[in-house]
């Protein structure tokens, strides 16, 4: 085995002690280490992050990265996949990032079944901007922008992705590192749009460790049974008190469809003869 | 006034022209065809244009339509000239009316010699009445072929040989071609020659007709474009449609995503992975793109934005033209970063500068804007071999990347070597935060300063290469001390006005980095500078002022319609006395 470079950069880590982001980084690092062990070329992996505490992972992992802007991991990642479908693209997004600022892209990426993996670091709070509510914060959440508590009900992101046509829908939790690694690794090997909602502890603004500890429940993986998927997804609505299932709730392999974006016949490079094509178009325009 | 039913040459009535205050166009011809949206006015205009192409003329076609699908008034003006022009005339030689509304609205375009042809069942008062309904009924064709019928009657009236008409229909009407031919033959045979149009002097083989959108698309493709990404918006929707239609032969991936925010970010993702991407939009869509545009500046990722201006603010006049986004594109995005902005005037420039903008954007890792407008995007021009050439440009030499790889290596010319993943020797980190040479976030004061300075040096390198290009177009009388200044599509009409009035016309094609030395070299020594712009506030005049050039008079047009040649001659004459 050849000497492998470290997977961690020398950037100073500035996550708070006890932050769930460490667990996500460790899981991804462990998966990448496994890939190195299989002599797989990590230069094919690209990490795309949004902006928020979660996004610092782009600085910390020593792999190709596109540290993008708030809410826009998915379009950037889609562009990368369209340009080079051989690349394995992982989006690390925040809940504010993915479910508020960039929600439109989530629905469309699921609809497109673009082949990439989304990891949402859902701490159910805006960490980096110091503690405002997000789309998954429960009713009554008191954040700095909602001091008397929010009245709106949270969205259920898993239901949203399932309804949008997502072909890999899973939930894990930073308090269950082994589960997290297994689910992320399955997501990475899924051909198509893989969505992993990770309940992430924010030690500083929304420490739900005790709450999750009592409620999370690892369930059996489900493959193509949509009814089973819906019952997993709807078991907990991010608001009321209920058991919180963790696992792969739905997985479906769509047949490769060349009409789907990302799989269009791409004639880049030597095969194309643009000059003749232009000459033919000009001829038609006389 | 002569009887239109006698044979004579068009546009030869000098007296009538003089009375109209027009410019005598002895060897050219203008045709207006109008009707309702849904009458196929644009394609009828293109058919007329192609008849003249085959008589050896060069074409300028302006298409005017409101933002609706059925009903409303559409018209196309075709101007056929021996030498390429980029503007229409105030009055036409033929007016073809598919409805009464066309006759009502275009009274002002009619001169005593104009051959006015009207569809007999839908208009009254035309000098030549065309029995479209009878012809269609006799052939058993649907009303959709009314435009073919009118064009055929016109072809006969203008003395265009049947073979030419037949060839044009065969080549350009792909649906129900033989039925269209039958309609055309019936109409052609029944009509009479009224005012024959001679072949253009020194007639050359017919040239292709391209819209500005098509020319931009072909220029980008010629330069190695890989992806075109756009959300539909007039006036660049047809660029999306055109490249989608020809995606396979041109080797392109064409994508229509959820919105313009996705559009520009997908383009940046693709460019990071090494594929050349362009996007198309108009002002409203570009508003949504500006955060991504800034990201391109910070992360130093090339992207081409085709920005087709239309009249705003907001939804404005969606299908009408404007030059209101000059200062917007020059300043778009937050933070400071170098960019390239080019504003072509016609299809030749659109092709050449789109091709070059793509190369420069990639060589200098900057966002580039191709600033056009509805008049150019959706107007058609003849396009000769001289139009589709490569501009002289020398690619800068790079020392190549060093390893361990530093994406933002602090290099003298500011252009850090860009490796695109996957590369087994390089971890490629791009970043929207201020970053160190490796691309890792750094808020350190020294690093932040170093990176700002690196980007500024890159801008200087860009300005240097732009300075070596033919960035300023000059026309008119070089001895005159009066000069018009303009940008983009105003170039066509301003050149003709300058030639007519014996003054100069100076037009920068590149607007950022501003080719200050080249512009000064042309302007210094003028005693009067007159800006002509399709906006209300004089945005080009502001830009010139910022570069120390005084603009003495400003002429504006703000209704979304292009200047007719004679209208601008009057305005400029009013200023220069
Ligand atoms: C367009 C834009 N709006 C607002 C911000 C400010 N901002 C930075 S991070 C953030 C929220 C982060 O929350 P989340 O995505 O949940 O990430 P976390 O910090 O919790 O990991 C906001 C609003 C921004 N960077 N860009
Ligand atoms: S604020 Fe919360 S999410 Fe951010 S680093 Fe601290 S613990 Fe982690
Ligand atoms: Mg969050």
């Amino acid at each position: 085995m050849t000497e492998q470079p470290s997977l961690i950069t020398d950037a100073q880590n500035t996550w708070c002690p006890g932050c769930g982001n460490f667990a996500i980084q460790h899981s991804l690092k462990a998966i990448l280490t496994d890939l190195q062990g299989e002599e797989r070329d990590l230069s094919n992996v690209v990490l795309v992050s949004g902006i928020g505490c979660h996004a610092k992972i782009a600085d910390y992992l020593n792999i190709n990265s596109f540290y993008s802007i708030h809410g826009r991991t998915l379009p950037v990642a889609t562009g990368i996949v369209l340009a080079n479908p051989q690349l394995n693209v992982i989006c690390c997004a925040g809940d504010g990032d993915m479910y508020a600022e960039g929600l439109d892209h989530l629905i469309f990426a699921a609809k497109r079944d673009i082949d990439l993996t989304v990891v949402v670091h859902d701490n159910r709070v805006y960490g980096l901007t110091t503690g405002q509510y997000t789309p998954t914060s429960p009713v009554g959440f008191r954040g700095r922008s909602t001091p008397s508590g929010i009245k709106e009900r949270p969205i259920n992101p898993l239901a949203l992705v399932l309804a949008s046509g997502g072909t890999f829908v899973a939930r894990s939790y930073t308090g269950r590192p082994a589960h997290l690694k297994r689910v992320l690794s399955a997501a990475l090997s899924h051909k198509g749009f893989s969505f992993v909602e990770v309940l992430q502890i924010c030690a500083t603004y929304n420490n739900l460790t005790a709450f999750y500890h009592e409620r999370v429940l690892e369930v059996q993986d489900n493959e193509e049974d949509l009814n089973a998927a819906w019952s997993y997804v709807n078991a907990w609505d991010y608001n009321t008190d209920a058991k919180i299932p963790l696992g792969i709730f739905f997985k479906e392999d769509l047949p490769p469809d060349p009409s789907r974006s990302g799989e269009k016949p791409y004639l880049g490079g030597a095969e194309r003869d643009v000059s003749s094509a232009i000459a033919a178009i000009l001829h038609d325009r006389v | 006034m002569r009887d239109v039913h006698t044979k004579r040459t068009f546009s030869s009535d000098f007296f009538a022209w003089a009375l109209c205050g027009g410019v005598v166009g002895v060897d050219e011809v203008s045709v207006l065809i109008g009707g309702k949206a849904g009458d196929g006015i644009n394609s009828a205009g293109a058919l007329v244009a192609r008849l003249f192409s085959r008589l050896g003329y060069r074409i300028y076609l302006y298409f005017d339509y409101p933002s609706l699908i059925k009903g409303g008034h559409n018209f196309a003006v075709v101007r056929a000239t021996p030498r390429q022009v980029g503007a229409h005339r105030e009055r036409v030689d033929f007016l073809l009316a598919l409805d009464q509304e066309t006759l009502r609205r275009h009274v002002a375009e009619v001169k005593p010699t104009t051959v006015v042809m009207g569809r007999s069942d839908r208009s009254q008062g035309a000098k030549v009445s065309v029995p479209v309904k009878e012809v269609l009924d006799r052939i058993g064709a649907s009303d959709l072929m009314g435009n073919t019928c009118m064009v055929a009657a016109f072809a006969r009236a203008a003395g265009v040989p049947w073979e030419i008409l037949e060839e044009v229909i065969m080549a350009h009407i792909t649906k129900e071609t033989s039925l269209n031919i039958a309609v055309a033959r019936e109409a052609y045979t029944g009509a009479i020659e009224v005012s024959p149009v001679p072949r253009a002097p020194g007639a050359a083989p017919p040239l292709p007709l391209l819209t500005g959108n098509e020319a931009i698309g072909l220029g980008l493709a010629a330069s190695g474009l890989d992806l075109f990404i756009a959300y539909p918006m007039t006036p660049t929707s047809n660029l999306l449609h055109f490249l989608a239609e020809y995606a396979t032969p041109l080797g392109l991936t064409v994508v229509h995503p959820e919105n313009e925010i996705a559009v520009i970010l997908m383009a940046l993702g693709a460019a990071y992975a090494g594929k050349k991407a362009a996007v198309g939009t108009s002002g409203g869509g570009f508003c949504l793109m500006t955060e991504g545009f800034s990201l391109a500046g910070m992360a130093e990722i090339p992207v081409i934005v085709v920005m087709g201006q239309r009249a705003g603010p907001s939804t404005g006049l969606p299908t009408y033209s404007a030059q209101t986004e000059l200062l917007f594109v020059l300043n778009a995005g937050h933070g400071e970063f170098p960019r390239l902005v080019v504003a072509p005037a016609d299809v030749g420039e659109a092709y050449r500068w789109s091709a070059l903008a793509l190369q420069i954007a990639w060589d200098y890792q900057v966002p580039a804007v191709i600033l056009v407008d509805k008049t150019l995007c959706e107007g058609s021009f003849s396009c000769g071999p001289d139009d589709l050439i490569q501009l002289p440009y020398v690619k800068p030499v790079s020392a190549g990347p060093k390893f361990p790889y530093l994406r933002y290596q602090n290099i003298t010319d500011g252009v850090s070597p860009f490796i695109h993943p996957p590369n087994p020797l390089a971890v490629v980190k791009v970043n929207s935060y201020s970053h160190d040479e490796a691309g890792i976030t750094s808020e350190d004061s020294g690093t932040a300063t170093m990176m700002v300075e690196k980007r500024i040096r890159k801008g200087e390198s860009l300005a240097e290469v732009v300075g070596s290009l033919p960035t300023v177009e000059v026309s008119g009388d070089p001895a005159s001390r009066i000069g018009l200044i303009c940008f983009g599509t105003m170039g066509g009409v301003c050149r003709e006005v300058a030639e007519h009035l014996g003054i100069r016309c100076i037009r920068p094609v590149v607007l950022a980095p501003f080719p200050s030395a080249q512009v000064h070299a042309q302007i210094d020594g003028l005693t009067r500078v007159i800006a002509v712009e399709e906006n209300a506030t004089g945005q080009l005049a502001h830009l010139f002022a910022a570069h120390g050039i005084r603009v003495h008079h400003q002429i504006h047009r703000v209704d979304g319609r292009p200047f007719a040649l004679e209208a601008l001659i009057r305005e400029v004459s009013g200023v220069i006395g």
Side-chain angles (χ1 to χ4, degrees):
Chain A
M1 210 180 111
T2 47
E3 174 77 37
Q4 299 288 0
S6 163
L7 284 171
I8 302 294
T9 65
D10 48 20
Q12 189 203 344
N13 192 302
T14 57
W15 284 324
C16 309
C19 174
N21 282 315
F22 286 108
I24 299 177
Q25 181 177 310
H26 286 156
S27 298
L28 284 175
K29 189 190 149 204
I31 292 168
L32 295 169
T33 307
D34 291 351
L35 290 176
Q36 277 180 330
E38 296 162 22
E39 300 277 308
R40 295 266 290 279
D41 185 0
L42 291 194
S43 66
N44 282 312
V45 179
V46 181
L47 182 108
V48 181
S49 75
I51 296 293
C53 293
H54 65 276
K56 296 177 183 178
I57 195 168
D59 280 339
Y60 304 155
L61 282 176
N62 190 24
I63 55 174
N64 296 319
S65 62
F66 193 134
Y67 202 146
S68 79
I69 51 178
H70 190 45
R72 312 300 168 197
T73 53
L74 274 170
V76 169
T78 303
I80 296 172
V81 174
L82 287 173
N84 185 352
Q86 306 312 318
L87 292 172
N88 296 316
V89 184
I90 308 166
C91 294
C92 284
D95 50 326
D97 202 61
M98 184 61 83
Y99 305 145
E101 189 77 291
L103 180 62
D104 35 6
H105 310 305
L106 177 61
I107 294 169
F108 276 80
K111 172 182 184 289
R112 259 177 221 125
D113 197 33
I114 184 102
D115 186 14
L116 52 81
T117 298
V118 170
V119 182
V120 180
H121 303 218
D122 189 359
N123 52 8
R124 304 171 71 199
V125 69
Y126 285 1
L128 194 62
T129 48
T130 67
Q132 300 86 356
Y133 86 98
T134 73
T136 49
S137 308
V139 171
F141 181 92
R142 288 171 200 272
R144 299 184 66 192
S145 61
T146 54
S148 47
I150 45 166
K151 315 250 174 334
E152 306 158 13
R153 286 168 300 168
I155 62 164
N156 178 340
L158 295 153
L160 188 71
V161 173
L162 195 58
S164 306
T167 55
F168 183 103
V169 179
R171 177 162 57 213
S172 189
Y173 169 44
T174 56
R176 294 283 174 94
H179 186 267
L180 182 58
K181 185 188 165 199
R182 185 181 72 79
V183 169
L184 288 180
S185 159
L188 278 169
S189 36
H190 174 67
K191 268 296 213 196
F193 182 70
S194 314
F195 174 75
V196 185
E197 148 83 1
V198 180
L199 297 173
Q200 176 229 317
I201 295 303
C202 169
T204 303
Y205 295 108
N206 196 19
N207 197 339
L208 297 172
T209 312
F211 178 85
Y212 290 147
H213 188 73
E214 281 167 23
R215 289 167 182 80
V216 293
L217 180 74
E218 291 183 27
V219 299
Q220 279 236 308
D221 290 349
N222 167 48
E223 294 255 306
E224 293 188 355
D225 181 348
L226 248 172
N227 290 329
W230 277 112
S231 58
Y232 278 148
V233 159
N234 287 330
W236 178 55
D237 64 0
Y238 285 74
N239 197 33
T240 44
D241 197 359
K243 284 285 177 204
I244 304 174
L246 303 179
I248 297 168
F249 299 156
F250 187 65
K251 178 169 158 45
E252 180 193 21
D253 290 307
L254 289 188
D257 175 359
S259 67
R260 257 186 285 151
S261 26
E263 291 175 21
K264 278 195 173 170
Y266 182 71
L267 307 176
E271 299 135 68
R272 62 177 161 179
D273 180 359
V274 174
S275 321
S276 311
I278 293 178
I281 292 168
L282 289 173
H283 181 261
D284 286 351
R285 292 289 184 282
V286 175
Chain B
M1 206 175 66
R2 300 185 196 182
D3 177 2
V4 292
H5 290 281
T6 57
K7 258 192 166 188
R8 57 164 178 73
T9 337
F10 69 98
S11 287
S12 62
D13 199 330
F14 179 80
F15 185 61
W17 265 109
L19 276 183
C20 309
V23 186
V24 187
V26 267
D27 48 9
E28 60 166 87
V29 58
S30 290
V31 180
L32 185 151
I33 177 161
K36 287 188 184 41
D39 278 346
I41 297 303
N42 199 13
S43 42
L47 289 179
V48 169
R50 288 187 159 102
L51 297 176
F52 291 131
S53 285
R54 281 162 177 75
L55 295 177
Y57 292 89
R58 280 193 167 241
I59 304 301
Y60 167 74
L61 185 154
Y62 166 69
F63 181 44
D64 188 301
Y65 64 104
S67 181
L68 43 77
I69 308 301
K70 279 274 181 280
H73 178 64
N74 284 7
F75 68 95
V77 186
V78 178
R79 186 172 167 213
T81 47
R83 199 194 62 155
Q84 186 66 48
V85 296
H88 66 287
R89 283 185 175 275
E90 225 163 31
R91 287 157 211 257
V92 296
D93 302 294
F94 291 85
L95 190 143
L96 315 180
L98 285 166
D99 64 0
Q100 189 67 34
E101 185 66 6
T102 304
L103 295 179
R104 194 184 70 76
R105 285 197 189 225
H106 298 283
V107 178
E109 280 102 315
V110 174
K111 53 189 173 180
T113 54
T114 302
V115 179
V116 180
M117 304 177 72
R119 189 177 156 145
S120 59
D121 57 332
R122 301 211 179 137
S123 66
Q124 279 175 356
K127 292 176 197 163
V128 180
S129 177
V130 182
V132 171
K133 188 163 171 5
E134 287 85 334
V135 169
L136 296 177
D137 286 349
R138 265 203 300 277
I139 301 297
S142 81
D143 203 61
L144 288 174
M145 293 181 197
N147 57 355
T148 304
C149 185
M150 180 58 87
V151 170
F154 156 74
R156 183 61 183 266
V160 178
W162 164 254
E163 297 68 37
I164 289 186
L165 176 63
E166 189 180 29
E167 183 191 310
V168 168
I169 294 177
M170 297 288 278
H172 294 285
I173 302 187
T174 46
K175 274 188 213 149
E176 302 203 76
T177 311
S178 45
L179 205 55
N180 273 286
I181 291 280
V183 167
R185 193 188 306 275
E186 186 76 10
Y188 190 90
T189 325
I192 49 160
E193 189 168 294
V194 183
S195 181
V197 175
R199 282 183 186 272
L207 295 176
L209 211 58
L210 286 185
T211 64
N213 277 327
E214 290 168 340
I216 292 166
L218 294 182
L220 292 173
S223 234
L225 186 75
D226 295 301
L227 290 99
F228 185 75
I229 311 174
Y231 189 85
M233 188 166 189
T234 304
T236 56
S237 299
N238 285 328
L239 174 56
L240 169 64
H241 305 160
F242 172 64
L243 291 179
E245 184 180 351
Y246 291 96
T248 304
L250 293 173
L252 296 176
T253 298
V254 177
V255 191
H256 160 186
E258 55 271 27
N259 55 36
E260 288 87 350
I261 297 176
V263 165
I264 190 148
L265 287 149
M266 284 186 187
L268 296 181
Y272 167 76
K275 296 291 189 211
K276 297 188 169 76
V279 307
T281 191
S282 185
F286 190 52
C287 284
L288 293 179
M289 291 186 188
T290 52
E291 195 193 11
F293 196 72
S294 244
L295 170 59
M298 178 53 109
E300 304 196 38
I301 298 177
V303 62
I304 301 289
V305 179
V306 181
M307 226 318 282
Q309 299 167 97
R310 64 190 225 187
S314 197
T315 311
L317 301 166
T319 57
Y320 288 91
S321 205
Q323 294 193 305
T324 45
E325 319 310 0
L326 173 60
L327 295 180
F328 178 31
V329 300
L330 291 176
N331 299 292
H334 51 294
E336 298 168 315
F337 53 92
R339 71 194 67 196
L340 176 69
V341 176
V342 301
D346 55 35
V347 294
E349 282 185 9
Y351 177 92
R352 296 190 295 274
W353 284 95
S354 299
L356 189 55
L358 183 66
Q359 289 180 46
I360 294 179
W362 274 73
D363 290 343
Y364 290 84
Q365 301 167 27
V366 289
V369 177
I370 298 167
L371 183 66
V372 283
D373 60 23
K374 184 263 171 183
T375 304
L376 176 55
C377 285
E378 301 200 335
S380 294
F381 296 67
S382 297
C383 177
D386 305 352
D387 287 316
L388 309 184
I389 52 166
Q390 274 192 0
L391 289 169
Y393 162 73
V394 185
K395 193 183 153 113
V397 273
S398 158
K402 280 212 222 145
F403 296 96
Y405 178 63
L406 295 173
R407 166 66 195 97
Y408 299 107
Q409 188 190 337
N410 186 23
I411 204 167
T412 321
D413 65 1
V415 187
S416 318
F418 197 166
I419 288 182
H420 305 283
N423 182 315
L425 301 178
V427 169
V428 187
K429 287 184 145 354
V430 298
N431 199 335
S432 72
Y433 271 97
S434 189
H435 41 256
D436 64 14
E437 289 183 272
I440 290 180
T441 306
S442 167
E443 297 179 354
D444 167 68
S445 142
T447 311
T449 308
M450 172 181 84
M451 281 298 156
V452 169
E453 288 172 355
K454 184 183 95 76
R455 289 191 295 275
I456 296 294
R457 287 201 307 280
K458 187 173 79 167
E460 288 162 1
S461 305
L462 174 68
E464 202 176 304
V465 78
V466 162
S468 72
L469 298 167
T471 50
V472 180
E473 289 295 326
V474 182
S475 54
D477 182 352
S480 172
R481 315 225 20 214
I482 301 173
L484 300 179
I485 60 162
C486 63
F487 73 99
T489 37
M490 284 293 99
V493 67
C494 285
R495 185 188 64 206
E496 246 188 296
V497 168
E499 285 166 356
H500 182 80
L501 296 176
I503 59 176
R504 306 193 72 195
C505 175
I506 294 150
R507 174 173 57 88
V509 185
V510 177
L511 294 158
F514 190 72
S516 199
Q518 290 88 331
V519 171
H520 271 286
Q522 297 299 336
I523 294 261
D524 295 349
L526 294 186
T527 53
R528 291 172 90 181
V529 177
I530 305 162
V532 181
E533 308 182 47
E534 280 195 317
N535 58 48
T537 55
Q539 300 193 10
L540 185 71
H542 275 294
L543 181 62
F544 272 56
H547 290 273
I549 295 165
R550 172 138 183 251
V551 175
H552 303 86
H553 306 277
Q554 295 188 27
I555 295 174
H556 306 288
R557 175 137 199 176
V558 294
D559 62 354
R561 279 79 173 168
F563 277 107
L565 175 60
E566 294 83 353
L568 188 57
I569 288 174
R570 277 197 304 277
E571 290 235 23
V572 175
S573 304
V575 168
I576 62 180

